[in-house]
Amino acid sequence: MSTLTHLECSYCGKEYDADVLQTLCPACGKPLLACYDLEGTKKKWPRESLKDRETTLWRYWEILPLKDKANAVTLGEGYTPLFPARRLGKELGMSNLFIKDEGLNPTGSFKARGLCMAISRAKELGVKEVVIPSAGNAAGAMAAYAAKAGMVAHVFMPQDVPLPFRMECRAYGAQVTLIHGLITECGQQARQAASEHGWFDVSTLKEPYRVEGKKTMGYELAEAFNWDLPDVIFYPTGGGTGLIGMWKAFSEMAKLGWIGERRPRMVVVQADGCAPIPRAFEAGEEFAKPWENAATVAAGLRVPAAIGDFLILRAVRESGGTAIAVSDEALILAQSRMASREGVFACPEGGATLAALEKLLAKGWIGKEEKVVLFNTGTGLKYPEAT
Ligand SMILES: *Cc1c(COP(=O)(O)O)cnc(C)c1O
């Protein structure tokens, strides 16, 4: 049984009914997050019980928002491998380097985690038609899950997204609109269309359940490391759903008694051409100013203004982590280095984590023995031109 109780505003703390469709907090306009009866679940749900469960993210059923299992729209997402990166580690002088390979998810990226949950819950609450603004992977994932759910899907994409992203959306039967502009403009158009036609907008953090799908990465890391979390996590950050989700997962697991108080240092990785979070982090600000003229080949990082900026910054600071930007040249070089040393053909965003690791190692910010996880968030196969 899901132990979902209600939704709570991540900023002002107001509480809302989870059993009706919700978007942003009506009071302050910030994202809502799902709350569970962790106290009541604690006694009934020991971590050992996970052993016999299915090898998808649905193994964490109790802390997922779906009320009825029959509403789960699934393509086998989650439970991705965590590879020891031995050759790369050796070259860098590191003894505990790992790659969590999210490229093995359905539709080739970790967007599958968030969108399977958003679509499943939307279906449960009666939605028939969905819309998303996306720079690539989110659109493909939404289109696939909407197809499986029998929903009508609308996608607003910048016209310069790589061809494979457009191809897959159309193959899944989505209505694709190409926009002359960045993801922020796509967001405006999607919002307008949503309010005109009554479509449900599944943009990052505008509905509460994509975070719930993505937080399972945190549960999987804890489980894979036998409940001893890594020292440092490198996360290529756009809207920050995964980072916010993992940070939430750690706090939930502590309340369940599954882990202690120690937390990984969270490292936000962005690109030099679009680095609003590192800039706000350095300046000590609570919110990040929008980045002007955002440009990077790592499309997932081309998010000039993130609605969850304060949650990203909060997690980074509470964890003792940092936020860092790398050049496009460095992230593409790192992408091929990861492929040729570890057999993981990462997306450019995944390559960025390795480039950032090299930078922080050179600064002495990371110890050579520390347990470090790089997130490869998608397959490299969808970016033929960048590569
Ligand atoms: C969306 C995306 C990101 C950024 O993910 P967030 O959780 O929204 O920050 C990183 N890499 C890839 C490949 C993506 O598609």
Side-chain angles (χ1 to χ4, degrees), residues 131 156 186-199 201:
V131 60
F156 289 77
C186 297
Q188 282 155 12
Q189 300 242 6
R191 216 159 32 248
Q192 198 182 332
S195 71
E196 269 170 32
H197 306 289
W199 304 337
D201 184 350

Short mmCIF file of all heavy atoms in Angstrom, two decimals, residues 131 156 186-199 201:
data_model
loop_
_atom_site.label_atom_id
_atom_site.label_comp_id
_atom_site.label_asym_id
_atom_site.label_seq_id
_atom_site.Cartn_x
_atom_site.Cartn_y
_atom_site.Cartn_z
N VAL A 131 0.65 17.66 -21.53
CA VAL A 131 1.53 18.52 -22.33
C VAL A 131 2.85 18.71 -21.58
O VAL A 131 2.88 18.71 -20.34
CB VAL A 131 0.86 19.89 -22.63
CG1 VAL A 131 0.52 20.64 -21.35
CG2 VAL A 131 1.75 20.76 -23.51
N PHE A 156 6.20 20.47 -26.64
CA PHE A 156 6.75 21.73 -27.15
C PHE A 156 8.26 21.69 -27.00
O PHE A 156 8.78 21.61 -25.89
CB PHE A 156 6.16 22.93 -26.39
CG PHE A 156 4.72 23.19 -26.73
CD1 PHE A 156 3.71 22.40 -26.19
CD2 PHE A 156 4.36 24.21 -27.61
CE1 PHE A 156 2.37 22.63 -26.51
CE2 PHE A 156 3.03 24.45 -27.93
CZ PHE A 156 2.03 23.65 -27.39
N CYS A 186 9.40 27.50 -24.61
CA CYS A 186 8.56 26.30 -24.77
C CYS A 186 7.62 26.18 -23.58
O CYS A 186 6.45 25.84 -23.73
CB CYS A 186 9.41 25.04 -24.86
SG CYS A 186 10.50 25.00 -26.30
N GLY A 187 8.14 26.47 -22.40
CA GLY A 187 7.34 26.40 -21.18
C GLY A 187 6.17 27.37 -21.22
O GLY A 187 5.05 27.01 -20.87
N GLN A 188 6.45 28.59 -21.69
CA GLN A 188 5.37 29.59 -21.78
C GLN A 188 4.26 29.12 -22.72
O GLN A 188 3.08 29.21 -22.42
CB GLN A 188 5.92 30.94 -22.26
CG GLN A 188 6.63 31.73 -21.16
CD GLN A 188 7.67 32.69 -21.72
OE1 GLN A 188 7.71 32.94 -22.93
NE2 GLN A 188 8.52 33.23 -20.86
N GLN A 189 4.68 28.61 -23.89
CA GLN A 189 3.70 28.16 -24.89
C GLN A 189 2.91 26.95 -24.37
O GLN A 189 1.70 26.84 -24.60
CB GLN A 189 4.42 27.77 -26.17
CG GLN A 189 5.19 28.94 -26.75
CD GLN A 189 4.68 29.32 -28.13
OE1 GLN A 189 3.70 28.77 -28.62
NE2 GLN A 189 5.37 30.26 -28.77
N ALA A 190 3.60 26.03 -23.70
CA ALA A 190 2.94 24.84 -23.17
C ALA A 190 1.89 25.25 -22.13
O ALA A 190 0.78 24.74 -22.10
CB ALA A 190 3.97 23.90 -22.55
N ARG A 191 2.27 26.23 -21.30
CA ARG A 191 1.38 26.71 -20.25
C ARG A 191 0.11 27.31 -20.85
O ARG A 191 -1.00 27.04 -20.41
CB ARG A 191 2.12 27.76 -19.42
CG ARG A 191 1.78 27.72 -17.96
CD ARG A 191 2.79 28.36 -17.02
NE ARG A 191 3.54 29.48 -17.50
CZ ARG A 191 4.85 29.46 -17.74
NH1 ARG A 191 5.53 28.35 -17.56
NH2 ARG A 191 5.49 30.53 -18.14
N GLN A 192 0.34 28.11 -21.88
CA GLN A 192 -0.79 28.77 -22.54
C GLN A 192 -1.73 27.74 -23.17
O GLN A 192 -2.94 27.79 -22.98
CB GLN A 192 -0.25 29.73 -23.59
CG GLN A 192 -1.27 30.76 -24.03
CD GLN A 192 -0.70 31.64 -25.13
OE1 GLN A 192 0.52 31.85 -25.20
NE2 GLN A 192 -1.56 32.16 -25.99
N ALA A 193 -1.13 26.78 -23.88
CA ALA A 193 -1.93 25.74 -24.53
C ALA A 193 -2.66 24.92 -23.48
O ALA A 193 -3.83 24.56 -23.66
CB ALA A 193 -1.04 24.85 -25.38
N ALA A 194 -2.00 24.64 -22.39
CA ALA A 194 -2.61 23.85 -21.32
C ALA A 194 -3.85 24.54 -20.78
O ALA A 194 -4.90 23.93 -20.60
CB ALA A 194 -1.61 23.60 -20.20
N SER A 195 -3.75 25.87 -20.56
CA SER A 195 -4.90 26.55 -19.98
C SER A 195 -6.01 26.74 -21.00
O SER A 195 -7.19 26.70 -20.67
CB SER A 195 -4.48 27.87 -19.32
OG SER A 195 -4.13 28.80 -20.30
N GLU A 196 -5.64 26.88 -22.28
CA GLU A 196 -6.67 27.00 -23.32
C GLU A 196 -7.46 25.71 -23.51
O GLU A 196 -8.66 25.72 -23.70
CB GLU A 196 -6.02 27.36 -24.66
CG GLU A 196 -5.94 28.87 -24.90
CD GLU A 196 -5.07 29.19 -26.12
OE1 GLU A 196 -5.05 28.38 -27.07
OE2 GLU A 196 -4.40 30.24 -26.09
N HIS A 197 -6.73 24.59 -23.52
CA HIS A 197 -7.37 23.32 -23.90
C HIS A 197 -7.66 22.40 -22.72
O HIS A 197 -8.18 21.31 -22.91
CB HIS A 197 -6.48 22.57 -24.90
CG HIS A 197 -6.12 23.38 -26.10
ND1 HIS A 197 -7.04 23.71 -27.08
CD2 HIS A 197 -4.95 23.96 -26.48
CE1 HIS A 197 -6.42 24.44 -28.01
NE2 HIS A 197 -5.17 24.61 -27.67
N GLY A 198 -7.24 22.79 -21.52
CA GLY A 198 -7.47 21.94 -20.36
C GLY A 198 -6.55 20.73 -20.31
O GLY A 198 -6.88 19.71 -19.71
N TRP A 199 -5.35 20.82 -20.94
CA TRP A 199 -4.39 19.73 -20.84
C TRP A 199 -3.67 19.83 -19.49
O TRP A 199 -3.52 20.92 -18.93
CB TRP A 199 -3.33 19.83 -21.94
CG TRP A 199 -3.89 19.86 -23.33
CD1 TRP A 199 -5.11 19.39 -23.76
CD2 TRP A 199 -3.24 20.42 -24.49
NE1 TRP A 199 -5.25 19.61 -25.10
CE2 TRP A 199 -4.12 20.24 -25.58
CE3 TRP A 199 -2.00 21.03 -24.70
CZ2 TRP A 199 -3.79 20.66 -26.87
CZ3 TRP A 199 -1.68 21.44 -25.98
CH2 TRP A 199 -2.57 21.26 -27.05
N ASP A 201 -0.33 19.86 -17.42
CA ASP A 201 1.06 20.23 -17.67
C ASP A 201 1.99 19.40 -16.76
O ASP A 201 1.93 19.52 -15.53
CB ASP A 201 1.21 21.74 -17.38
CG ASP A 201 2.60 22.28 -17.68
OD1 ASP A 201 3.53 21.48 -17.94
OD2 ASP A 201 2.75 23.51 -17.67
#
